Amino acid sequence: DIESIDNKKDSSIVQIQIKWLDKSTFLAKMFELDTVLDLKHAILNNLTSTTLTTKLHPSISNVSEFELRNAYPPRILLDEMTLKEEGLVPNGTVHAKLLQLT
């Protein structure tokens, strides 16, 4: 909604280092009030628009197929939490992990 967009404009930019499934690493610049789910969507957009598409898991096309974990202490980041709430400001590192879907 418009109010949340305005709030994000007033928030700080954060830089997140992503360590992907195939051990490649790339950076994402996001707002501190973006959610972990927003970050996951940005990762998928980056993978489909660049040559970073992984050869190990080329079929990943949905954010529900992987999770993001904090580097230290290792824990799963919750999709609904903001990057600020997850302690990823002013910068942070996350690791992607493939989920075993049944």
Side-chain angles (χ1 to χ4, degrees):
D1 66 10
I2 292 174
E3 183 176 326
S4 66
I5 291 171
D6 287 338
N7 286 341
K8 286 183 182 180
K9 286 180 184 175
D10 294 334
S11 70
S12 297
I13 301 277
V14 299
Q15 186 167 292
I16 308 294
Q17 180 179 13
I18 297 107
K19 297 194 177 192
W20 190 239
L21 304 167
D22 63 357
K23 309 299 184 208
S24 62
T25 302
F26 54 98
L27 295 174
K29 289 188 179 181
M30 309 282 293
F31 291 108
E32 66 181 3
L33 296 180
D34 284 331
T35 64
V36 172
L37 185 60
D38 294 330
L39 177 59
K40 289 170 81 173
H41 283 291
I43 291 168
L44 281 184
N45 288 340
N46 187 60
L47 290 173
T48 56
S49 66
T50 68
T51 58
L52 288 175
T53 304
T54 176
K55 293 175 178 63
L56 296 176
H57 304 288
S59 63
I60 293 178
S61 61
N62 191 303
V63 294
S64 64
E65 296 177 35
F66 67 97
E67 66 187 12
L68 295 177
R69 294 174 172 250
N70 210 15
Y72 186 83
R75 63 182 171 77
I76 298 169
L77 301 179
L78 302 175
D79 285 349
E80 65 275 3
M81 300 292 281
T82 67
L83 301 177
K84 185 176 185 176
E85 291 169 330
E86 288 290 10
L88 297 172
V89 294
N91 53 52
T93 299
V94 296
H95 300 264
K97 182 176 183 206
L98 184 66
L99 294 175
Q100 301 298 323
L101 301 176
T102 56

